[in-house]
Amino acid sequence: MKRSAPLVLLLSATLLASQEQIAPPENKYTPAQDVELGLQAATEVRQQMPLMRDDLMSSYVEELGRRLTAAIRPDLRHSEFRYSFEVVNVREINAFALPGGPMFVNRGMIEAAKTEGEVAGVMAHELSHVVLRHGTAQASKATKYEVGQVAGAVLGAIIGGGWGQVISQGTQFGLGAAFMRFSREFERQADIEGSHIMARAGYDPRDMANMFKTIEKQSGSGGPQWLSDHPNPGNRSEYITREAQLLRVENPIRDTRTFDQVKAHLRQLPPAPTTEQATKNRGRTTGTSGRNTGVPTGRVDPPSSSFRTYNEGNLFQVSVPANWQEIQSSSSVTFAPSGAYGQNNGQTVFTHGVEFGLGRNETHDLQTATDELIQSLANGNPNLSRASGYQRVNVADRRGLRTVLRNRSEVTGQDEAIQLVTTQMQDGNLFYAIGVAPGNEFSNYQRVFDRVVGSLQLARQR
Ligand SMILES: [Zn+2]
């Protein structure tokens, strides 16, 4: 495919010098490890997600990607990195890039974009996360507990995102989330670096801000997945616009004939499925737990009255009913009796038991962080509601909160009750326990949940 050369050329060195120079954050991984981790995750994405193998689409995103990668700041070029650009045939407005270079753009993103600059804006932002190595920089902060099976965790974060069951695993926290969901500071960095890449590639950085507005407006039924992975650091449009003014891109690329062709082509195709529809029948044999656990049968033995102690490395220790097995994922550990745990519509779910996990919490107090956790659960679970207010409790000698939620289980169709207990680690991150039981068995299970949570000990150093 031929494209006209960009009309705008390199900005003068003096202009660039006036820009903020973003320094890549501390990182204990090597660039080669970025590549390895990213390839692993990309392989799984390619197996599980429907890619568009379509000449026009492929050459379009590859060409756009090539133009953007050619505009990467010299000191951020990692010779090991292998960039690839692929379109996923799903309708949600989303895009993601993995460490070391693989990038996936949803068809829904291209359909929602009003101009090529808007597509370029999202891609430049994603590319900036890659070149600044934000995924592994975030993983550098994670403990052994969070660093598990990378690929499954990433996939969980992609597929599970807005559609997960209350109790789907690996969707909200942990390493998958570390690769996919960025802190506000990293977001600001990617916005700034992304606007520089855009300008050097001949695009107007304001198109990036425009696309973010489009995403905010159009984030449809599945919840604004892109925005929850890339939270607005505040005043996003304003500082991107300021940056654009400093960069002074004159004659930004306006030749969008290929973009128009792509849009016309997409309109002729049958509508893209949702991610949920597209991934439903693709067995997630390499899911987050790595175990083939079958479907919850609902035939569940009552909790054993004898308890056993479980020790999770340097993070926590807890006692659970002896007949509850532990199911590890990269980001959480679940204790559930046989028959209560398994896969449903590609999601890992449980109907009885307790899950423990850790969520990143940057600046918030306990209640705000807990509100956010509940909100993220509610995003994928329209039937979730709060059944009680917050009750102050003591969790492992720390200040904690307890609340009860109600949901309709997508496995059984029955009402289920969820007891959520949260507290904060020394570093401020949120530690949570989610107890789940069918509504009509909740009073029995609540006693068990309380005993389990009462036995909890948290590591001092975190
Ligand atoms: Zn981002």
Side-chain angles (χ1 to χ4, degrees):
M1 181 182 64
K2 275 211 188 109
R3 306 214 39 181
S4 56
L7 292 172
V8 178
L9 305 141
L10 295 181
L11 298 151
S12 72
T14 47
L15 268 178
L16 280 178
S18 70
Q19 301 303 305
E20 182 182 349
Q21 182 98 342
I22 301 290
E26 225 174 285
N27 198 316
K28 66 183 185 199
Y29 291 77
T30 62
Q33 284 175 308
D34 276 44
V35 173
E36 191 191 330
L37 293 169
L39 282 180
Q40 234 182 73
T43 301
E44 193 165 357
V45 169
R46 292 188 186 107
Q47 282 165 5
Q48 305 290 335
M49 306 287 284
L51 297 181
M52 291 189 88
R53 316 256 183 218
D54 171 315
D55 285 348
L56 178 63
M57 298 310 295
S58 302
S59 60
Y60 183 68
V61 291
E62 281 163 18
E63 172 62 22
L64 202 48
R66 195 200 54 72
R67 187 181 285 187
L68 295 171
T69 51
I72 297 169
R73 213 170 79 196
D75 65 300
L76 295 179
R77 288 190 185 149
H78 302 284
S79 56
E80 302 89 339
F81 282 17
R82 293 287 170 267
Y83 299 99
S84 60
F85 303 89
E86 289 161 271
V87 182
V88 186
N89 190 29
V90 291
R91 82 170 61 146
E92 290 83 5
I93 304 176
N94 202 4
F96 55 93
L98 300 167
M103 189 186 298
F104 298 87
V105 180
N106 280 8
R107 176 177 157 190
M109 173 70 81
I110 299 173
E111 287 172 328
K114 291 192 281 292
T115 65
E116 176 167 297
E118 294 191 355
V119 180
V122 170
M123 289 174 70
H125 175 100
E126 294 289 345
L127 187 61
S128 300
H129 283 308
V130 173
V131 299
L132 292 165
R133 305 182 55 221
H134 282 163
T136 47
Q138 288 193 154
S140 296
K141 299 179 198 157
T143 61
K144 157 240 159 207
Y145 174 64
E146 294 160 279
V147 181
Q149 288 173 292
V150 177
V154 169
L155 197 73
I158 296 160
I159 295 178
W163 304 272
Q165 301 278 346
V166 166
I167 317 306
S168 64
Q169 287 202 319
T171 56
Q172 308 293 345
F173 305 110
L175 189 64
F179 278 4
M180 307 297 299
R181 305 186 72 194
F182 297 102
S183 69
R184 286 171 172 78
E185 172 54 18
F186 286 4
E187 279 312 295
R188 202 189 60 85
Q189 291 191 350
D191 290 341
I192 302 288
E193 195 58 41
S195 53
H196 296 181
I197 290 176
M198 284 186 85
R200 280 191 294 262
Y203 290 100
D204 185 340
R206 277 171 292 208
D207 283 343
M208 185 188 337
N210 290 341
M211 188 66 204
F212 294 161
K213 281 188 205 148
T214 303
I215 294 171
E216 269 168 32
K217 265 188 249 144
Q218 295 199 13
S219 49
S221 54
Q225 182 62 33
W226 194 88
L227 283 177
S228 75
D229 290 345
H230 302 268
N232 187 340
N235 305 320
R236 189 167 227 168
S237 289
E238 288 81 352
Y239 66 71
I240 294 173
T241 305
R242 208 163 43 237
E243 218 45 38
Q245 283 159 354
L246 285 170
L247 289 161
R248 298 213 330 237
V249 182
E250 288 156 30
N251 303 313
I253 293 174
R254 293 282 179 227
D255 170 18
T256 57
R257 273 172 300 181
T258 324
F259 178 72
D260 297 338
Q261 264 177 33
V262 161
K263 297 276 274 195
H265 174 64
L266 290 178
R267 278 193 293 271
Q268 284 167 357
L269 300 177
T274 63
T275 299
E276 188 183 4
Q277 289 162 348
T279 54
K280 202 182 269 188
N281 298 319
R282 296 172 179 241
R284 288 184 60 201
T285 50
T286 48
T288 51
S289 76
R291 280 195 198 183
N292 187 0
T293 46
V295 175
T297 60
R299 279 199 304 278
V300 170
D301 288 336
S304 159
S305 58
S306 70
F307 274 49
R308 68 185 175 92
T309 299
Y310 172 88
N311 197 323
E312 176 56 52
N314 55 5
L315 193 64
F316 72 93
Q317 180 181 302
V318 72
S319 295
V320 296
N323 66 336
W324 288 9
Q325 303 147 20
E326 76 243 18
I327 301 102
Q328 275 278 5
S329 83
S330 53
S331 57
S332 61
V333 59
T334 306
F335 301 92
S338 140
Y341 182 87
Q343 302 276 321
N344 183 56
N345 284 345
Q347 295 289 331
T348 304
V349 295
F350 68 102
T351 56
H352 304 63
V354 183
E355 176 175 304
F356 294 97
L358 196 60
R360 198 169 52 236
N361 173 32
E362 284 162 32
T363 50
H364 300 318
D365 60 75
L366 177 60
Q367 183 164 335
T368 311
T370 306
D371 283 341
E372 285 184 359
L373 171 61
I374 294 173
Q375 188 51 48
S376 77
L377 297 172
N379 280 343
N381 297 272
N383 296 314
L384 188 78
S385 62
R386 293 192 190 205
S388 76
Y390 287 124
Q391 189 190 349
R392 291 180 189 284
V393 290
N394 195 326
V395 182
D397 295 330
R398 297 172 199 219
R399 206 165 61 80
L401 290 175
R402 173 165 66 184
T403 187
V404 175
L405 309 163
R406 297 274 166 181
N407 188 42
R408 193 161 63 246
S409 164
E410 288 181 36
V411 180
T412 61
Q414 306 291 309
D415 285 337
E416 64 187 4
I418 296 142
Q419 176 169 291
L420 173 66
V421 174
T422 56
T423 188
Q424 278 174 294
M425 305 300 285
Q426 298 288 10
D427 60 13
N429 281 331
L430 192 70
F431 184 91
Y432 68 87
I434 300 176
V436 177
N440 57 6
E441 299 174 54
F442 185 59
S443 51
N444 292 333
Y445 274 85
Q446 199 168 21
R447 283 196 287 274
V448 179
F449 298 153
D450 287 342
R451 185 169 163 194
V452 169
V453 170
S455 73
L456 193 63
Q457 292 176 33
L458 293 174
R460 290 275 152 220
Q461 71 271 25
R462 291 198 71 215

